[in-house]
Amino acid sequence: MTELTIKQPSDFHVHLRQGDELEAYTVQTAKHFENILVMPNTKPPITTAERLTAYHNAIQAILVKHAIDCRIFMAFKLVPGMGERAVLDCIRAGALIGKYYPSGSTTNAEDGPTHPSDIKEELRTLEQAQGILSIHAESPTSPEFLKERDFLSTIEYILERYPKLRIVIEHLSTAGTVDAVLGWPDRVAGTITAHHLRYTVDDLLTDGIDSSLYCKPILKTEHDRKALISAAISGNPKFFFGSDSAPHPFEKKHIFPVPAGAYTAPVRLSLLAEVFEENDALHMLEYFTSTAGTAWYGISSSNSYITLIKKPWKVPDCIDGAFPVAHGRTLQWQIV
Ligand code: NCD
Ligand code: ZN
């Protein structure tokens, strides 16, 4: 196959940042997509309806300016001491999810809970308001490779105490978490990124460290990658696309301490097409990128399409002032 037309995709996990960087990242991330879900780990974080609305409006203004027809969905951060009122206000302001970042787990997560009981009132409110909980599922105190595994018991704690809460486990990175999601009730789903489907820890560390691939959760083994691929191509409604595209300035990705975050917005569909093609599953790409996520979130979906063609292109070293994943590599697929 050299050409593939699919319904316009959705990306249910993106970072757009703020200030001078917001415009370029927003354009790159929203173009060609029908829906994007914007993460709240800005500084200050999105923890109030006012901030959520202001951030939404700033992004929307950029989309209007560039005539990009993409729906944006917002998230707010669940932090200790936030209170019931702020949670309800964020939901009323249109937030699609409340995001749980364990304290210290990733970029700008110092203010998160150390245990779900730190935000029990907020979780209860979210559950009662039929909101959706999104989780960065890593235990910050565990060794890097075991952080995700060691957080599974915390998810079970949440599942038990909040029996009606719908939950998305973000950026699955291990075979064990894929199995756990499969075993949990239907109210639990998981997003999978393009970089965890394409790369392993060896791409990050062997033959010279590639800091563009340094992200949380850290890339794992080929065994884990295979399990993620099986989930993504399976057509199971619990698994859908969230890129976790997380740009950091080019210079910051080249000097200690390198921040965690993989900028994949410019390459995410090319990477996905390559992986799906390699696994004889190009026919499942549309379900993973364009159908499963909107169905899980209950979002209507339009009848717009995009076309990918097989035409090699070389990824530049710097895009939008950031250090993109696959820099310097030749990818096979591109969007017409
Ligand atoms: C993200 C970022 O840079 O904001 N970093 C990352 O490594 N994925 C935060 C996150 O989603 O963990
Ligand atoms: Zn993220």
Side-chain angles (χ1 to χ4, degrees), residues 187-209:
R187 63 189 171 100
V188 184
T191 60
I192 305 177
T193 77
H195 49 290
H196 289 96
L197 288 170
R198 172 82 285 186
Y199 300 110
T200 68
V201 67
D202 294 312
D203 296 293
L204 167 69
L205 294 181
T206 309
D207 302 328
I209 292 176

Side-chain angles (χ1 to χ4, degrees), residues 13-15 17 39 41 99 101 106 136 170-171 216-217 243-246 261:
H13 186 138
V14 304
H15 298 269
R17 311 307 188 201
M39 290 296 140
N41 62 333
K99 180 87 190 256
Y101 289 100
T106 188
H136 182 113
E170 300 294 335
H171 37 58
K216 305 282 182 174
S243 71
D244 193 17
S245 175

Side-chain angles (χ1 to χ4, degrees), residues 85-116:
R85 187 58 198 268
V87 172
L88 288 175
D89 286 347
C90 285
I91 293 172
R92 284 192 198 112
L96 186 64
I97 59 158
K99 180 87 190 256
Y100 181 136
Y101 289 100
S103 175
S105 58
T106 188
T107 308
N108 299 347
E110 302 76 18
D111 53 359
T114 48
H115 188 267

Side-chain angles (χ1 to χ4, degrees), residues 130-148:
Q130 297 180 338
I132 295 171
L133 175 67
S134 153
I135 306 182
H136 182 113
E138 288 196 291
S139 166
T141 52
S142 294
E144 197 61 41
F145 242 56
L146 303 179
K147 284 179 158 65
E148 192 171 281

Side-chain angles (χ1 to χ4, degrees), residues 6-329:
I6 57 170
K7 274 177 76 162
Q8 240 192 327
S10 297
D11 187 338
F12 285 103
H13 186 138
V14 304
H15 298 269
L16 300 183
R17 311 307 188 201
Q18 57 206 122
D20 292 344
E21 295 163 348
L22 181 65
E23 182 164 355
Y25 296 158
T26 298
V27 170
Q28 186 70 250
T29 308
K31 68 180 179 189
H32 307 304
F33 278 70
E34 181 174 33
N35 306 291
I36 54 174
L37 172 53
V38 184
M39 290 296 140
N41 62 333
T42 48
K43 274 196 158 167
I46 307 301
T47 48
T48 68
E50 291 71 30
R51 284 184 200 157
L52 188 135
T53 304
Y55 195 31
H56 176 275
N57 292 347
I59 297 164
Q60 190 62 45
I62 292 166
L63 297 181
V64 170
K65 176 178 163 190
H66 292 269
I68 295 171
D69 188 13
C70 173
R71 257 183 310 186
I72 42 174
F73 290 92
M74 306 303 291
F76 65 93
K77 219 175 180 184
L78 290 156
V79 294
M82 188 178 176
E84 182 181 344
R85 187 58 198 268
V87 172
L88 288 175
D89 286 347
C90 285
I91 293 172
R92 284 192 198 112
L96 186 64
I97 59 158
K99 180 87 190 256
Y100 181 136
Y101 289 100
S103 175
S105 58
T106 188
T107 308
N108 299 347
E110 302 76 18
D111 53 359
T114 48
H115 188 267
S117 60
D118 295 347
I119 52 166
K120 56 174 180 293
E121 186 192 340
E122 290 77 8
L123 289 173
R124 184 68 65 210
T125 307
L126 192 64
E127 180 186 39
Q128 284 169 353
Q130 297 180 338
I132 295 171
L133 175 67
S134 153
I135 306 182
H136 182 113
E138 288 196 291
S139 166
T141 52
S142 294
E144 197 61 41
F145 242 56
L146 303 179
K147 284 179 158 65
E148 192 171 281
R149 184 201 72 179
D150 289 353
F151 199 77
L152 296 178
S153 56
T154 306
I155 299 172
E156 296 197 326
Y157 173 98
I158 296 172
L159 282 169
E160 221 168 85
R161 276 178 185 66
Y162 306 94
K164 293 209 169 73
L165 196 53
R166 301 184 75 218
I167 299 176
V168 183
I169 314 299
E170 300 294 335
H171 37 58
L172 309 182
S173 74
T174 70
T177 314
V178 168
D179 284 344
V181 170
L182 284 169
W184 285 327
D186 287 346
R187 63 189 171 100
V188 184
T191 60
I192 305 177
T193 77
H195 49 290
H196 289 96
L197 288 170
R198 172 82 285 186
Y199 300 110
T200 68
V201 67
D202 294 312
D203 296 293
L204 167 69
L205 294 181
T206 309
D207 302 328
I209 292 176
D210 181 353
S211 65
S212 73
L213 289 173
Y214 174 62
C215 65
K216 305 282 182 174
I218 205 91
L219 293 163
K220 304 292 188 318
T221 66
E222 185 64 10
H223 168 72
D224 297 301
R225 190 178 83 93
K226 289 225 166 79
L228 295 168
I229 292 172
S230 297
I233 69 176
S234 67
N236 186 318
K238 285 181 155 220
F239 301 106
F240 54 87
F241 182 50
S243 71
D244 193 17
S245 175
H248 291 278
F250 184 88
E251 314 76 56
K252 287 203 175 168
K253 279 297 230 179
H254 289 84
I255 187 163
F256 178 83
V258 171
Y263 190 35
T264 55
V267 297
R268 65 203 139 152
L269 288 174
S270 307
L271 297 181
L272 288 176
E274 275 185 24
V275 170
F276 276 65
E277 184 179 37
E278 271 174 25
N279 290 276
D280 298 320
L282 270 179
H283 61 289
M284 296 307 291
L285 185 65
E286 181 181 66
Y287 184 78
F288 179 65
T289 60
S290 319
T291 307
T294 48
W296 200 85
Y297 276 112
I299 293 168
S300 66
S301 126
S302 74
N303 279 320
S304 309
Y305 289 82
I306 62 161
T307 298
L308 293 158
I309 52 163
K310 207 163 182 187
K311 186 174 169 204
W313 65 290
K314 192 168 174 204
V315 181
D317 279 335
C318 183
I319 302 180
D320 306 320
F323 189 39
V325 164
H327 53 88
R329 298 192 193 196

